[in-house]
Amino acid sequence: MTGPREDTSHRHTSHWGAFTPRVEGGDVTAVRPSPFDPAPSPLLGNLVGSLRHPLRIPQPMVREGWLRDGPGPAPLRGEEPFVPVGWDEVVDRLAGELRRVYTDRGPEAVFGGSYGWSSAGRFHHAQGQVHRFLNTLGGYVASENTYSAGTSEVLLPHVLGAGPQILRTLTSWPVLEEHTELMVCVGGVPTKNMAVAPGGVTAHTSEGHLAAMAARGIELVLVGPDRRDLPSSSAWLPVRPGTDAAFLLALCHVLVTEGLHDEGFLRTHCVGGDRVLDHLLGRTDGLPKTPRWAAELCGIDPGAITALARRMASRRTMITLTFSVQRAEFGEQPVWAGVLLAALLGQIGLPGGGFGHGYGSIGDNGHPAHTRVLPTLPQGHNPVRARIPVARIADMLLHPGEEYAYNGERRRYPDVELVYWCGGNPFHHHQDLARLRAAWRRVPTVVVHEPYWTPAARHADIVLPATVTLERDDIGASRTDPVLTAMHAAAPPYEQAQDDYTIFAAVADLLGTDKDYTEGRSAAEWLRHLYEGWRADGAGRPDFDTFWADGHARTTPPPPGVLLSGFRRDPVGRPLATPSGRIELASTVVTSFGYDDCPGHPTWLAPVEWHGSERAARYPLVLLANNPAARLHSQLDFGEHSRGSKVAGREPVRIHPDDAARRGLGGGDLVRVFSDRGACLGGVVVDGDLSPGVVQMSTGAWFSPVPGVEPVLCAAGNVNVLTRDVGSSRLAQGCTGSRALVEIERWHGPAPEVDVAAPPETVGRTRHQG
Ligand code: PGD
């Protein structure tokens, strides 16, 4: 495979690939991917026309009602017009508001969690900037864990002793290619997600590894409802969404009852085996977890389950689950059951065997991560102890002061007075957007930095126009990529847009914290400083000027590895960070929390919304609300490539031919997709690659609520108006956006406009002043 050799060919990078832009008249007219990228992402097409797009925010804006009435709950936040203001005025007002809140209420009243992917670039990374800025003011209420893998991030430390670290040290692709004989992929290994990796990727290789595995005849089995989630040559077991834990427990049952499990591995490397075996065999609840039992729930023939279990026991087997299966109510259970299955097979820590999590959920999973630190802007210290699991934001805003359970703790939601967001789009990433909007409107002040008029910017009071990466110099690097990229600015900032750093420095200047925030450095000086710190950490690295002129510096990630191989070799000398030092198939700690929504060992728990629940009578279709193929999350939804994916001008909704026929629907029809939470419009794609009873619609269409429709109708097709806003369980409180029960009907009458396709109304003063 061609790797990024001495690659001076790209001048910039993005989360979806390295590239050289052609800029004419201040905008990108073409994008040339790095010639060393074997599989450049079509998402690069979204950059064309993105610098001078009408949805760029030209200057600072303040919501009319906030300007008139000052801070306070705002029932019309998100619907009112904005007033264009000058930079001096906006910085002055923002500094005054921050001074008020920090003085009157303290840092516990400022929510700075500010979740989001923002853009590539180590220095101008919006999250890093906002957190550092708020820390210099005294701190802020933070969020913890991610929308991506927030359930596993809390569960896995109990089971394997590490959460995020484990996910970054998965068995590497070349090892799978060489050693794996059977890969059972719960949720598949969706190639669409492998185009993106946080911080950038100079050569997309994951898809090539997967294709090579298929070409070598390695047996790949898709366990999931969407055929597209694994190459078409693989076997397909279309489990009903939400029933993976039952399916996996039944595989375990076969191994145990047929004596195919590795008792030695359970004895030397695991604890809790007896308890789980009792559960599997039905000794504790009178319900053996047989294939027949599971078949009723998951829809897979008992014979197929038994046959698969036997094949798994007879060859080197990797069992992997995508993040989407844990991004669901009781999402802890399939992940824990996956670890149990791999432990019963006794192959954890062997090359090509054992447990994997997140192959295909993100581009860099399965590539060894750097052990040395990348150039990183220091965040400072946050003294505020109050923090929330990231997906509990609406609960926090709706229930200040109320108690909630999380990972064995009793916590209280803080009472937030000001929300500060940079580089994320909560009106994309959160669930039940009508509920989020109601919660959001209770906050006295919302501040957002954004390059574009995204739904997050539209729901702010103070909007600061930010630059995009092509308008600033930066250093591109990611946790697994072997190349640091000198990201050269290619165009001047759009109208009055400024870098997040410049904006924060100006506000800090008024608040008297600029020395702490900038440490006396300009942005250019920071780049040199951060780079030289990184250079000193490894031998033979070029100096900054050489790096900048060459356009790159190479760095060596560790060689391919095998997850938990050291622990396998020496479980006593290299114990896991669990209480027992071993794999906890049952956890006394989790048991002690007493959560019936996350008992102390893997268990099948019926979700509130699945094919078998009462609600399915009204909403008979299970919606897969997963990450999009045509853009990164909600970024650049107006871009050429994303727009090219729309059907009837809305987000496509894929539906099985039988379900379409039953509703009299055909390809290209405009439909209303609705759930208990709200409705959105979509354009029909009839697709036999889905299981019957399952529909799929990607996240990321910009939230465009039709005025006056309650609780909400999104004209653009944002699926998060349909999803439920509940935590995975009291253990992890993770995001549960991946599924919901819905119904679909043809849309009659004139189609509502997509309001977010144009900037919001501005009033009052002339643009471009000050
Ligand atoms: P993005 O669209 O990437 O989504 O949620 P996330 O909030 O990360 O938002 C990033 C924003 O940053 C964009 O609006 C962009 O314009 C802005 N931005 C980019 N660069 C800059 C900059 O330099 N400065 C500033 N100030 N702004 C910038 C993603 C989240 O969604 C994730 S990670 C996952 S995995 C979840 N997935 C699902 C799911 O599968 N299903 C559902 N239903 N919901 C999900 N939500 C989650």
Side-chain angles (χ1 to χ4, degrees):
M1 185 142 327
T2 313
R5 296 190 304 258
E6 293 310 300
D7 186 0
T8 53
S9 56
H10 60 264
R11 307 285 289 173
H12 214 78
T13 197
S14 67
H15 293 315
W16 48 92
F19 66 97
T20 304
R22 190 193 313 144
V23 176
E24 291 163 316
D27 210 338
V28 179
T29 53
V31 175
R32 185 166 56 87
S34 163
F36 297 97
D37 189 341
S41 165
L43 266 58
L44 288 171
N46 284 333
L47 290 164
V48 173
S50 62
L51 300 186
R52 298 289 178 270
H53 194 276
L55 285 168
R56 284 297 297 268
I57 305 172
Q59 72 173 103
M61 301 276 175
V62 181
R63 183 173 59 81
E64 188 184 34
W66 195 92
L67 209 52
R68 187 185 55 236
D69 308 327
L76 290 179
R77 182 175 287 132
E79 290 178 50
E80 267 185 71
F82 286 93
V83 180
V85 297
W87 270 111
D88 287 349
E89 177 179 349
V90 85
V91 167
D92 203 43
R93 285 182 184 274
L94 176 54
E97 177 60 357
L98 286 165
R99 198 180 290 114
R100 177 186 78 79
V101 176
Y102 274 92
T103 307
D104 294 356
R105 299 278 322 283
E108 256 123 39
V110 177
F111 182 70
S114 186
Y115 181 86
W117 268 54
S118 56
S119 292
R122 301 293 299 174
F123 171 67
H124 288 290
H125 190 239
Q127 305 305 321
Q129 293 288 350
V130 66
H131 294 152
R132 178 180 168 87
F133 170 74
L134 293 175
N135 279 339
T136 61
L137 300 186
Y140 62 94
V141 175
S143 59
E144 54 195 324
N145 314 323
T146 64
Y147 274 83
S148 299
T151 302
S152 294
E153 283 158 358
V154 179
L155 171 75
L156 287 179
H158 292 290
V159 179
L160 296 173
Q165 303 91 308
I166 287 276
L167 305 177
R168 279 180 213 148
T169 54
L170 294 183
T171 299
S172 312
W173 281 108
V175 180
L176 298 181
E177 235 179 286
E178 192 180 337
H179 296 279
T180 304
E181 294 172 302
L182 168 60
M183 184 147 159
V184 177
C185 308
V186 181
V189 181
T191 52
K192 66 179 170 60
N193 300 331
M194 301 203 283
V196 300
V201 47
T202 51
H204 292 86
T205 57
S206 306
E207 197 173 340
H209 286 298
L210 185 64
M213 288 177 75
R216 284 185 60 174
I218 294 168
E219 191 182 348
L220 300 172
V221 178
L222 167 63
V223 179
D226 188 347
R227 188 78 195 81
R228 292 196 189 175
D229 286 336
L230 208 58
S232 53
S233 57
S234 49
W236 184 22
L237 295 176
V239 288
R240 292 193 183 115
T243 63
D244 306 282
F247 173 81
L248 293 166
L249 291 176
L251 290 171
C252 295
H253 185 274
V254 176
L255 296 181
V256 172
T257 51
E258 300 197 1
L260 298 174
H261 63 300
D262 187 337
E263 284 184 20
F265 187 79
L266 293 194
R267 221 176 15 254
T268 51
H269 288 75
C270 306
V271 295
D274 290 348
R275 233 180 109 195
V276 188
L277 260 52
D278 283 349
H279 177 72
L280 286 175
L281 299 174
R283 289 184 188 133
T284 41
D285 58 1
L287 195 65
K289 310 304 171 297
T290 62
R292 192 164 297 284
W293 163 81
E296 291 285 306
L297 303 167
C298 71
I300 303 296
D301 177 63
I305 298 176
T306 305
L308 179 62
R310 291 176 186 159
R311 279 207 311 287
M312 292 176 89
S314 69
R315 60 203 75 180
R316 186 60 57 86
T317 298
M318 169 61 72
I319 160 101
T320 177
L321 300 95
T322 51
F323 291 163
S324 62
V325 298
Q326 54 88 64
R327 203 178 295 132
E329 195 183 14
F330 313 136
E332 292 86 354
Q333 303 313 317
V335 177
W336 208 344
V339 176
L340 170 64
L341 178 59
L344 289 172
L345 289 169
Q347 297 187 24
I348 290 177
L350 287 180
F355 170 76
H357 191 21
Y359 292 108
S361 294
I362 204 166
D364 59 4
N365 275 352
H367 298 278
H370 297 289
T371 46
R372 299 256 172 106
V373 175
L374 296 168
T376 304
L377 181 70
Q379 306 281 288
H381 171 65
N382 184 1
V384 175
R385 293 187 54 205
R387 52 190 56 225
I388 57 162
V390 68
R392 299 278 45 84
I393 179 166
D395 285 356
M396 172 187 77
L397 299 177
L398 289 168
H399 304 289
E402 274 186 29
E403 222 184 45
Y404 68 101
Y406 167 67
N407 200 16
E409 296 175 36
R410 304 268 349 141
R411 292 184 173 183
R412 271 186 203 286
Y413 287 119
D415 187 357
V416 164
E417 178 98 8
L418 184 146
V419 167
Y420 210 128
W421 220 288
C422 292
N425 184 358
F427 284 91
H428 150 64
H429 64 228
H430 198 64
Q431 288 58 62
D432 194 348
L433 292 181
R435 181 171 189 260
L436 177 70
R437 189 172 54 172
W440 199 258
R441 286 174 166 172
R442 298 172 66 139
V443 183
T445 298
V446 177
V447 187
V448 168
H449 297 196
E450 248 297 336
Y452 298 100
W453 276 119
T454 62
R458 288 165 198 261
H459 285 81
D461 300 319
I462 301 179
V463 182
L464 291 314
T467 52
V468 295
T469 67
L470 281 164
E471 295 164 344
R472 58 201 188 209
D473 291 336
D474 210 337
I475 300 168
S478 82
R479 57 194 177 207
T480 62
D481 204 83
V483 177
L484 252 71
T485 298
M487 297 169 67
H488 291 255
Y494 176 68
E495 303 247 351
Q496 295 182 32
Q498 295 196 14
D499 301 345
D500 293 300
Y501 180 69
T502 312
I503 300 170
F504 285 129
V507 182
D509 187 39
L510 288 192
L511 293 172
T513 53
D514 52 320
K515 288 280 176 300
D516 294 335
Y517 179 66
T518 67
E519 295 181 28
R521 292 189 188 93
S522 66
E525 286 164 340
W526 267 110
L527 292 192
R528 189 175 286 274
H529 175 73
L530 295 181
Y531 179 87
E532 291 297 347
W534 172 80
R535 181 184 167 221
D537 190 38
R541 294 174 172 175
D543 64 24
F544 181 79
D545 292 318
T546 310
F547 160 68
W548 200 254
D550 284 358
H552 78 287
R554 289 189 63 80
T555 160
T556 320
V562 174
L563 179 66
L564 297 173
S565 56
F567 165 69
R568 181 186 185 89
R569 273 194 305 276
D570 184 6
V572 178
R574 300 184 63 179
L576 302 180
T578 53
S580 62
R582 301 194 192 169
I583 299 170
E584 304 233 342
L585 302 179
S587 160
T588 45
V589 173
V590 175
T591 307
S592 74
F593 299 158
Y595 298 150
D596 56 2
D597 53 358
C598 188
H601 58 73
T603 308
W604 149 255
L605 299 170
V608 167
E609 297 206 349
W610 72 298
H611 279 124
S613 63
E614 277 174 21
R615 290 188 190 191
R618 267 181 307 147
Y619 302 105
L621 298 169
V622 175
L623 169 75
L624 308 176
N626 52 5
N627 281 310
R631 59 191 166 261
L632 167 66
H633 306 312
S634 68
Q635 296 200 26
L636 307 176
D637 186 31
F638 53 79
E640 252 176 40
H641 185 63
S642 184
R643 265 190 294 123
S645 73
K646 307 284 177 183
V647 174
R650 329 283 152 158
E651 195 57 27
V653 51
R654 293 167 56 222
I655 182 167
H656 188 274
D658 296 349
D659 295 315
R662 206 164 292 133
R663 290 163 180 79
L665 300 174
D669 284 349
L670 184 65
V671 288
R672 177 174 169 267
V673 188
F674 56 103
S675 77
D676 259 351
R677 276 71 58 183
C680 67
L681 298 186
V684 169
V685 176
V686 180
D687 191 342
D689 276 348
L690 285 167
S691 304
V694 173
V695 293
Q696 182 273 330
M697 205 170 175
S698 301
T699 59
W702 283 15
F703 179 52
S704 187
V706 177
V709 181
E710 291 297 328
V712 66
L713 170 67
C714 173
N718 184 317
V719 282
N720 272 325
V721 302
L722 305 168
T723 50
R724 272 177 88 215
D725 182 12
V726 291
S728 56
S729 78
R730 280 172 288 172
L731 185 87
Q733 296 282 11
C735 162
T736 58
S738 74
R739 289 192 298 271
L741 281 179
V742 300
E743 179 54 293
I744 297 185
E745 64 185 13
R746 185 186 296 278
W747 178 264
H748 296 286
E753 303 240 322
V754 177
D755 282 350
V756 291
E761 186 191 352
T762 52
V763 291
R765 310 190 195 162
T766 50
R767 270 185 48 186
H768 309 312
Q769 70 173 29

